[in-house]
Amino acid sequence: MGLLGILAAVAVLVWVWLVGGHGMFWRTDVRLPRRESPARWPSVAVVVPARDEAAVLPCSLPSLLAQDYPGEAEVYLVDDGSTDGTAELARRLAAAAPGLPLTVVHPGEPGPGWTGKLWALRHGIARARAARPGGPEFLLLTDADIAHEPDSLRELVCAATSHDLDLVSQMARLRVVGFWERLIVPAFVYFFAQLYPFRRINRPGSRTAAAAGGCVLLRTTAAVRAGVPDTIRHAVIDDVALARAVQDSGGRIWLGLAERVDSVRPYPALADLWRMVARSAYAQLRHDPLLLAGTVAGLALVYLVPPVALVAGLAAGRPATAWAGAAAWLLMSGSYLPMLRYYRLPAALAPLLPLTALLHLLMTVDSAVQHYRGRGAAWKGRTYDRPAQTPAPPEPFV
């Protein structure tokens, strides 16, 4: 059968396990759980970290201000050193479309050991807690590029109160307009779900933890108990770190796909998507060269070997190799179809998943290269590296 045939056979076995025994990661029916309205609507503070977001704010901020929420709610936009007039634009948008009250917070440059987003969240949360006795009961942490339907906050709160959840997170539906967005974005979500199967995360007692940072509803008591964001202040992949901190402190977490929460940030060129993935890919591997090597080998075996085996097997007259490659490729493509349907994209894109996986592999390697060149996790003019030492203890969480 040859080495390639053996590798293709192994790929088939891996795909049989992935499809049937890996938390059904490929299914896209994990949506907000069945929920009922609470007897009393808890208070909520919506905290939006924003750094140079004037381009997307007109599409996102009005949707937050227009939330149809029966309880007390207010929005805190944290202007993280923007140079494009983000804060002034936010105030104009709030004046033009009155709704939930808006407060703009200016935290200054991040302290030592802090990433910009978590520094902004810390100050937004502190301002929200200081604004009312006892602080808000829930915090909605949402990115500046996320647009919410009018009932989004209400449904998130209903899910949390109905199931006694401490953290409810939804993976926002990302934009898929241009060619590169259609090719890469659904696969990005698919790979994330493969790494963190939603059903496994949501199972009581599970040790798998993750969240989607664009939309996180968090109980304030859970945040205090977990000491966040202070305890995760250096995390580049802050959403996963947040979910882990809440879970480790005894909180219950839930993650699923969104139906009425969308990202409006465009990624029109391959370079835009490349930067988005590469900035945190090596951090996801804990900056470990052995994990990087294992990841590259795993991606090659699972995603690249099947089409190569099919083509090479046909060309060399090795039917067993060709059949093994075809079977693995078919399983792979079939598991990708639900994600394409979720994004309302044609099924014809499914066989292109190996190409997308190759691009993700190259992005991951580039992430490691940039890390060792001192440019790891670069985003909006800042570069975050693995902490060389434990940062000094922060001030008490307020």
Side-chain angles (χ1 to χ4, degrees):
M1 192 176 185
L3 177 60
L4 184 58
I6 293 172
L7 291 175
V10 173
V12 172
L13 295 176
V14 172
W15 274 109
V16 168
W17 174 75
L18 285 173
V19 171
H22 188 51
M24 303 300 245
F25 78 94
W26 48 273
R27 295 183 57 172
T28 56
D29 56 350
V30 182
R31 313 295 172 87
L32 281 179
R34 186 174 300 175
R35 52 209 177 272
E36 298 179 355
S37 299
R40 182 188 64 82
W41 290 93
S43 57
V44 182
V46 181
V47 182
V48 186
R51 179 173 171 82
D52 292 333
E53 297 287 11
V56 297
L57 219 54
C59 299
S60 59
L61 184 58
S63 74
L64 288 171
L65 300 175
Q67 285 299 298
D68 178 19
Y69 185 67
E72 294 185 30
E74 51 192 327
V75 179
Y76 293 84
L77 184 134
V78 188
D79 178 27
D80 180 20
S82 299
T83 59
D84 65 349
T86 289
E88 294 77 9
L89 176 59
R91 294 187 182 97
R92 290 200 302 271
L93 290 170
L100 299 184
L102 172 71
T103 299
V104 177
V105 181
H106 298 276
E109 282 298 301
W114 286 83
T115 65
K117 179 179 177 179
L118 291 170
W119 180 256
L121 286 176
R122 182 176 191 263
H123 282 263
I125 293 170
R127 177 67 69 87
R129 295 189 66 197
R132 54 181 296 134
E137 295 165 80
F138 280 92
L139 303 162
L140 175 60
L141 313 178
T142 183
D143 288 347
D145 66 310
I146 303 298
H148 295 252
E149 292 293 328
D151 62 351
S152 173
L153 178 57
R154 187 172 67 240
E155 294 302 310
L156 285 165
V157 170
C158 286
T161 55
S162 296
H163 299 272
D164 195 27
L165 297 169
D166 294 290
L167 184 152
V168 178
S169 180
Q170 289 184 292
M171 175 74 74
R173 200 188 305 258
L174 306 178
R175 201 185 91 135
V176 286
V177 176
F179 170 78
W180 291 112
E181 290 173 334
R182 289 167 176 251
L183 181 67
I184 293 176
V185 164
F188 174 79
V189 180
Y190 172 90
F191 294 146
F192 182 88
Q194 190 176 71
L195 191 60
Y196 302 104
F198 294 170
R199 280 179 169 77
R200 190 170 294 171
I201 290 168
N202 300 340
R203 190 167 56 217
S206 172
R207 296 306 303 157
T208 305
C215 177
V216 176
L217 183 75
L218 176 65
R219 286 185 191 269
T220 305
T221 53
V224 173
R225 187 172 61 243
V228 295
D230 298 62
T231 54
I232 60 170
R233 57 194 177 276
H234 59 274
V236 173
I237 308 175
D238 50 84
D239 43 13
V240 174
L242 171 62
R244 171 63 63 191
V246 171
Q247 186 186 76
D248 286 348
S249 63
R252 292 189 58 199
I253 65 175
W254 184 94
L255 172 63
L257 292 172
E259 295 176 298
R260 299 163 70 78
V261 179
D262 299 279
S263 172
V264 298
R265 190 183 304 284
Y267 293 98
L270 176 59
D272 301 314
L273 288 158
W274 194 289
R275 283 191 296 270
M276 186 266 288
V277 175
R279 73 185 179 96
S280 60
Y282 197 40
Q284 183 70 65
L285 300 176
R286 301 195 291 275
H287 305 103
D288 188 329
L290 292 179
L291 283 178
L292 174 65
T295 298
V296 170
L299 284 172
L301 171 66
V302 175
Y303 289 99
L304 305 185
V305 164
V308 171
L310 173 59
V311 174
L314 291 174
R318 295 177 178 269
T321 299
W323 276 110
W329 199 356
L330 183 63
L331 286 168
M332 177 199 318
S333 301
S335 72
Y336 191 39
L337 287 173
M339 188 62 69
L340 291 174
R341 284 196 293 268
Y342 172 73
Y343 273 97
R344 307 180 185 96
L345 293 175
L349 289 173
L352 297 180
L353 188 56
L355 172 60
T356 310
L358 174 60
L359 290 173
H360 276 262
L361 185 155
L362 295 174
M363 293 171 187
T364 302
V365 172
D366 182 53
S367 178
V369 171
Q370 297 307 317
H371 168 77
Y372 289 112
R373 287 180 175 176
R375 298 196 296 267
W379 191 247
K380 293 193 175 182
R382 292 184 180 137
T383 298
Y384 304 109
D385 213 336
R386 177 175 52 182
Q389 59 186 13
T390 303
E395 299 173 6
F397 184 88
V398 177

